[in-house]
Amino acid sequence: MSLIPSFFGGRRSNVFDPFSLDVWDPFKDLSFPSAEDSAFLKTRVDWKETPEAHVFKADIPGLKKEQVKVEIEDDKVLQISGERSVEKEDKNDKWHRVERSSGKFLRKFRLPENAKVDQVKASIENGVLTVTVPKEEVKKPDVKAVQISG
């Protein structure tokens, strides 16, 4: 890709073409989060692998299990989503600070091949969602020695 401006009619070509006349703009597809995105961005998830399972832990303080969804897409993607509602305001209330976010959040994780997606379990305790995805045992290949003649 070339940094030379397109003087010759805006020819579009492959990104990896070294003779391309396209101008690369590193900020073209950059979008900045809005207030509606803040809950989505602040939903932090830890993923650890144990010998028995993949364990995901998401911080979702203040949410009830009815406000959270855990789904498996196409037998290979774990999707955690939910919505934190805005508190009802009373006209007589005077707000001094609003820091807690509200809105929807969505996180997706591609699961490895050894995930048993039909045995996924989820629970919420003390504002932490724990999703456990058991692993299949990896069978070691049966290796047989072959005699070499000669």
Side-chain angles (χ1 to χ4, degrees):
M1 181 160 30
S2 174
L3 296 177
I4 302 171
S6 178
F7 296 114
F8 305 107
R11 181 178 75 118
R12 304 299 293 174
S13 62
N14 188 330
V15 173
F16 300 104
D17 181 2
F19 302 105
S20 171
L21 297 176
D22 295 337
V23 177
W24 178 62
D25 180 4
F27 303 105
K28 182 178 103 180
D29 296 322
L30 187 63
S31 63
F32 295 96
S34 64
E36 295 85 33
D37 296 332
S38 62
F40 169 82
L41 293 175
K42 292 182 181 181
T43 303
R44 304 287 186 213
V45 179
D46 294 337
W47 176 1
K48 73 175 177 179
E49 183 176 356
T50 68
E52 299 82 29
H54 295 275
V55 181
F56 298 82
K57 292 192 177 218
D59 288 337
I60 53 169
L63 292 184
K64 299 174 185 159
K65 68 179 185 177
E66 295 81 21
Q67 296 172 294
V68 179
K69 276 204 269 186
V70 177
E71 300 170 314
I72 304 292
E73 290 181 352
D74 300 325
D75 287 339
K76 58 186 168 193
V77 178
L78 172 66
Q79 178 173 300
I80 300 170
S81 62
E83 184 169 6
R84 186 174 289 122
S85 303
V86 178
E87 282 190 25
K88 294 181 181 178
E89 293 186 25
D90 188 346
K91 299 236 184 229
N92 298 326
D93 292 342
K94 179 180 177 184
W95 290 87
H96 293 278
R97 181 177 295 266
V98 177
E99 293 183 350
R100 296 184 307 139
S101 58
S102 61
K104 295 180 181 182
F105 66 90
L106 171 68
R107 297 295 308 270
K108 291 185 179 188
F109 302 92
R110 182 173 300 281
L111 295 171
E113 294 292 323
N114 66 348
K116 290 183 179 179
V117 294
D118 56 333
Q119 297 178 16
V120 175
K121 295 188 177 166
S123 63
I124 296 177
E125 186 175 336
N126 297 326
V128 177
L129 170 69
T130 301
V131 180
T132 305
V133 183
K135 292 173 20 179
E136 292 178 359
E137 288 185 32
V138 178
K139 292 185 179 180
K140 294 186 179 182
D142 188 22
V143 179
K144 294 181 181 180
V146 176
Q147 291 291 332
I148 301 173
S149 62

